[in-house]
Amino acid sequence: MTSEDDTKERAPGEAVGMDPKKSACVLIGVSKYQHLPNLPSVPGNLDALSRLLTDRSVWGLPADRIVRVPDPQAAGDLTGPIYDAIEQAPDTLIVYYAGHGLKTLEDEQLYLTVSSSRRNRSETTLAYRRVRQILESCRDRVKHRVVILDCCHSGQALDGMAVSEAALQDAELRTKGSYVLTATAADEKAVADSTKRYTAFSGELIKILQNGDPRRPDRERLSLDEIHKLLVQSLDLRALPMPRKQDQDGVGALPFVWNRASRRPPRPPEYWTRRRRAWAGLALASTLTAGAAAGHWAPEVWSSDPGRAAIPGPCGEKSHATLLAVSDQLDEPGYDEFQGSEVAGLSALALADGNGRAYAVRDETPAQIFTLSLGSPDALPNKLNPRVTGMRGIRKPDRSKFTTFDGEGLVVEKGGKTALVSSEKGPAIRRIRLSNGGQIGKDLPLPNTFYPPPRGVAESTRNVESLAVTPDGTLLYAGMEAPLLGDEDIHGRHQVRIERYRGSSGGRYEPDRQIGYQTEEGLYLSELVAVGPDHLLALERGYIRGLGNGVRVYEVDLRGAANLTDTEHLVKDDSDRMAHKTLLVDLADCPPGNVRTDDDQQNPLLDNVEGMALGPAIPAGGKAKVPQGSRALYLISDNNSRSEQTTRLYALAVSLQRS
């Protein structure tokens, strides 16, 4: 590989398939050289690939099965980790290399370099054919062998890893194959711009793993061949070297990583392993049995018989929340359409006043904001009758339509004439006029890191997910759904960032400080509500195939939370610097009401809840035995425009622990 500054040659222009639980990966990256130009963007490749390949919403490789080899000093430092990984990978072994690749005049072979390598000194390098020999020797133990080479002349490797004709006659060997993906052809140089976070080829690979294939939202998984095709398309547009591939025994067609652009519900890490599922089932069974013996209401909770629905009812024995009402009316004929527009994809909710009038934003094109009537909070728990009363298209300042839009956050500003809307596509925070949906002024400033690569390090489909504004309008909070690339998870608990702005309703908001928030295992930050300047409510939600949705709301205390604005990467030790939170309600613990679901859910009440709004105080006592001082909390689910999911509205009474 050569630096772009040196060459100036080109302008930047379940277990189906590969089972991550039985696989391993070796990530080798050489950035610091004694006798060759340094490659400062290579460490970024290793950081991002390590994080993405272990992310269960991408592939889910166990963290202890990925080995990073930064700046190896000798050839043995390259081969040793490969030998070790072979023992851990009965299904798939991935070997990735980024660094300088050399080709000698003598034998036209590819040589991989280490920190001490010299040009025209093959004894200071590792011949790629040695890597090939190691991988061929383990084909009886490793089902799929994948090599990814990001270096100059990497196409020279494509003649390797071929199984002999005699071996192909063996039926057992025909099930075992290899795949080589290279950044260049045999006679081309790879590109590494020293000013960029990643090298050119790996940067595009990272983008594909992170974003998926938006042109094929119907496709749940991506194969290596599909990744190669996407690489060709994106690199060709940038006039960069074309990647090459070589496939043996159909490895390239096997399902590999999840397509993050899929229309299917989002899949956070499937932390419910077989053992945990069994444990959860036993725990649930014992809970229900014990509840029945003690005369508790637990067996009734899981009934789908509308006549036995325990609403209103508490969300757990010692809960600070009571489920007052739930309605699927917005999913019913006559209510699921308004003036020819489908009422679907509602992913953010904001109250317009204390009389049950609200707004909801759609999370896809056409960009729309709906006006809702929820009914007076005083009518709860007896009546929850949501319906759409108005709709506006959200338009650019010049009144043209948005061709891409993914509305996720919404706040109504003081005075009720304007609102702020966040879109993951962009990403952007925009002010709109509620009377006509037109954008007012420029987008609010976002930290560069909140943008997807190459500008930033955020996931393109999990960035600015939530917005909250304090009652006086002086503080605005914008929450990321998922961690930035490089920010570590803590055993499946995501460390996400919340940007705080100072300003005024209808006026300017400027970034003020960055706060860290840690979700529960497998959940993502979906929405925020500002109760006060250092008091938030946070909605966490996730989806686990076979178990369904998880939905929890926490009270968040920002006092004592560190300012993380200048913290480049969040690590495990940063847990103590996060905001403190206390569980307010786990929706799975609420009574199910008279709703049904065709999906696998631990409680039929659960769905893909994404919107949340805090209402005024509601009358104490009554049928629901609402505690004094409780407030109405509304939740709304996003049906993703899918018939299997529901646009569902929930009303709860919550007793906040902080005044």
Side-chain angles (χ1 to χ4, degrees):
M1 181 176 294
T2 185
S3 71
E4 195 172 65
D5 291 336
D6 290 341
T7 64
K8 305 291 184 184
E9 291 179 358
R10 297 177 181 84
E14 179 139 346
V16 176
M18 301 182 188
D19 184 358
K21 300 298 187 244
K22 299 178 181 179
S23 301
C25 176
V26 180
L27 299 176
I28 305 166
V30 193
S31 63
K32 298 177 182 178
Y33 287 89
Q34 300 171 21
H35 309 290
L36 299 170
N38 289 334
L39 298 171
S41 51
V42 166
N45 297 352
L46 301 194
D47 290 343
L49 290 172
S50 176
R51 181 180 180 278
L52 287 167
L53 291 174
T54 55
D55 188 327
R56 291 183 182 90
S57 69
V58 178
W59 194 34
L61 185 70
D64 60 353
R65 300 284 185 86
I66 194 162
V67 177
R68 292 169 55 170
V69 186
D71 297 320
Q73 299 297 309
D77 297 336
L78 290 177
T79 57
I82 298 175
Y83 280 115
D84 294 338
I86 288 171
E87 304 305 318
Q88 296 182 301
D91 188 272
T92 301
L93 172 62
I94 298 176
V95 177
Y96 167 91
Y97 173 86
H100 286 297
L102 302 178
K103 187 171 70 169
T104 66
L105 297 176
E106 305 154 1
D107 56 10
E108 290 290 309
Q109 293 294 315
L110 173 65
Y111 290 85
L112 306 181
T113 59
V114 294
S115 291
S116 59
S117 295
R118 294 174 178 266
R119 293 187 188 278
N120 300 318
R121 300 273 187 92
S122 60
E123 69 276 9
T124 66
T125 65
L126 176 69
Y128 174 74
R129 62 175 175 267
R130 179 59 190 142
V131 176
R132 182 176 66 237
Q133 290 167 354
I134 294 171
L135 296 179
E136 286 183 346
S137 69
C138 71
R139 62 174 176 257
D140 290 327
R141 290 177 287 162
V142 180
K143 194 173 184 181
H144 313 120
R145 293 153 288 133
V146 178
V147 177
I148 302 174
L149 298 176
D150 186 358
C151 62
C152 296
H153 313 298
S154 52
Q156 192 71 41
L158 295 180
D159 290 334
M161 295 186 68
V163 181
S164 68
E165 289 298 323
L168 285 174
Q169 302 304 314
D170 189 317
E172 182 181 0
L173 281 184
R174 282 202 299 271
T175 67
K176 298 178 171 69
S178 62
Y179 195 91
V180 183
L181 179 62
T182 70
T184 71
D187 57 351
E188 283 188 301
K189 294 182 178 180
V191 176
D193 186 343
S194 61
T195 67
K196 302 296 184 183
R197 184 178 296 272
Y198 313 117
T199 59
F201 168 81
S202 291
E204 293 301 323
L205 174 62
I206 289 164
K207 189 182 299 182
I208 292 166
L209 296 178
Q210 179 177 285
N211 301 338
D213 183 359
R215 285 169 290 191
R216 293 301 306 268
D218 58 311
R219 182 166 290 163
E220 192 174 33
R221 302 277 288 274
L222 297 178
S223 67
L224 284 165
D225 278 345
E226 289 162 342
I227 290 173
H228 173 261
K229 183 178 179 180
L230 291 170
L231 283 168
V232 169
Q233 293 169 350
S234 58
L235 291 167
D236 185 46
L237 287 174
R238 297 174 58 193
L240 291 169
M242 288 292 94
R244 301 297 199 270
K245 66 167 185 172
Q246 178 176 299
D247 186 8
Q248 288 287 339
D249 302 330
V251 174
L254 295 173
F256 178 28
V257 295
W258 296 107
N259 178 14
R260 279 186 160 181
S262 172
R263 287 199 187 105
R264 292 173 171 80
R267 286 181 181 81
E270 293 192 5
Y271 53 87
W272 286 90
T273 61
R274 184 175 301 174
R275 180 178 296 177
R276 291 191 182 187
R277 288 174 190 266
W279 177 88
L282 290 172
L284 177 59
S286 62
T287 299
L288 296 182
T289 303
H296 293 168
W297 121 121
E300 216 171 51
V301 170
W302 303 102
S303 169
S304 59
D305 180 1
R308 302 182 64 197
I311 286 183
C315 297
E317 185 178 349
K318 297 181 179 180
S319 175
H320 301 298
T322 298
L323 181 64
L324 299 178
V326 58
S327 174
D328 290 351
Q329 183 166 283
L330 292 176
D331 233 42
E332 297 172 1
Y335 295 90
D336 62 349
E337 188 177 2
F338 184 81
Q339 295 180 353
S341 291
E342 181 186 19
V343 179
L346 306 184
S347 61
L349 184 70
L351 296 184
D353 52 38
N355 297 317
R357 192 165 63 94
Y359 294 99
V361 69
R362 188 185 181 109
D363 69 351
E364 56 191 21
T365 53
Q368 295 171 327
I369 185 167
F370 295 90
T371 307
L372 306 179
S373 173
L374 309 181
S376 171
D378 293 340
L380 297 170
N382 300 314
K383 187 177 182 181
L384 184 60
N385 185 31
R387 65 186 188 280
V388 176
T389 60
M391 185 275 293
R392 294 284 186 185
I394 299 175
R395 295 180 178 268
K396 297 178 181 180
D398 62 3
R399 301 297 297 161
S400 61
K401 294 181 180 180
F402 284 98
T403 55
T404 58
F405 187 82
D406 187 2
E408 297 290 354
L410 172 68
V411 294
V412 176
E413 295 192 278
K414 196 173 181 180
K417 294 184 178 180
T418 59
L420 296 172
V421 179
S422 68
S423 171
E424 282 191 326
K425 291 181 180 176
I429 302 175
R430 303 179 174 105
R431 176 175 283 118
I432 65 168
R433 186 175 286 108
L434 287 169
S435 61
N436 61 13
Q439 180 176 346
I440 304 170
K442 298 180 179 180
D443 298 352
L444 269 63
L446 283 173
N448 279 333
T449 53
F450 280 24
Y451 290 87
R455 180 174 178 179
V457 288
E459 297 185 26
S460 64
T461 57
R462 294 190 189 275
N463 47 64
V464 187
E465 177 78 10
S466 54
L467 286 181
V469 67
T470 52
D472 63 2
T474 59
L475 295 176
L476 173 71
Y477 295 91
M480 301 294 282
E481 182 180 8
L484 301 179
L485 290 173
D487 286 350
E488 293 183 0
D489 286 359
I490 311 298
H491 304 297
R493 302 178 68 186
H494 302 302
Q495 296 192 117
V496 301
R497 301 183 187 228
I498 301 170
E499 185 70 29
R500 189 179 79 178
Y501 294 76
R502 284 192 180 274
S504 60
S505 295
R508 292 177 60 85
Y509 281 104
E510 295 293 339
D512 173 55
R513 65 186 286 132
Q514 207 169 94
I515 300 157
Y517 178 87
Q518 188 176 108
T519 70
E520 292 307 295
E521 188 180 10
L523 301 181
Y524 291 83
L525 180 60
S526 183
E527 190 58 281
L528 293 170
V529 166
V531 184
D534 55 15
H535 184 190
L536 305 179
L537 299 185
L539 170 65
E540 298 182 20
R541 67 98 173 89
Y543 179 85
I544 303 105
R545 176 178 289 177
L547 276 182
N549 292 91
V551 181
R552 295 179 183 177
V553 179
Y554 291 86
E555 271 193 89
V556 184
D557 189 345
L558 301 182
R559 295 174 299 185
N563 184 358
L564 303 177
T565 301
D566 296 325
T567 304
E568 184 176 2
H569 299 301
L570 299 180
V571 297
K572 294 180 181 179
D573 292 341
D574 288 319
S575 294
D576 295 337
R577 306 171 67 199
M578 304 283 123
H580 178 74
K581 68 179 188 179
T582 305
L583 180 65
L584 183 64
V585 57
D586 185 339
L587 206 61
D589 293 335
C590 294
N594 57 353
V595 297
R596 299 176 183 274
T597 181
D598 295 327
D599 201 1
D600 291 325
Q601 299 287 356
Q602 53 182 317
N603 182 336
L605 186 74
L606 295 171
D607 211 289
N608 183 39
V609 176
E610 291 202 14
M612 175 173 65
L614 183 65
I618 57 177
K623 178 182 177 183
K625 299 179 181 180
V626 173
Q628 188 72 32
S630 294
R631 297 180 65 174
L633 182 70
Y634 296 95
L635 304 175
I636 196 166
S637 65
D638 173 7
N639 71 348
N640 288 315
S641 298
R642 300 175 72 228
S643 60
E644 304 96 302
Q645 294 179 273
T646 305
T647 301
R648 178 171 293 162
L649 185 72
Y650 310 76
L652 301 97
V654 294
S655 178
L656 303 183
Q657 301 306 291
R658 284 190 56 195
S659 58

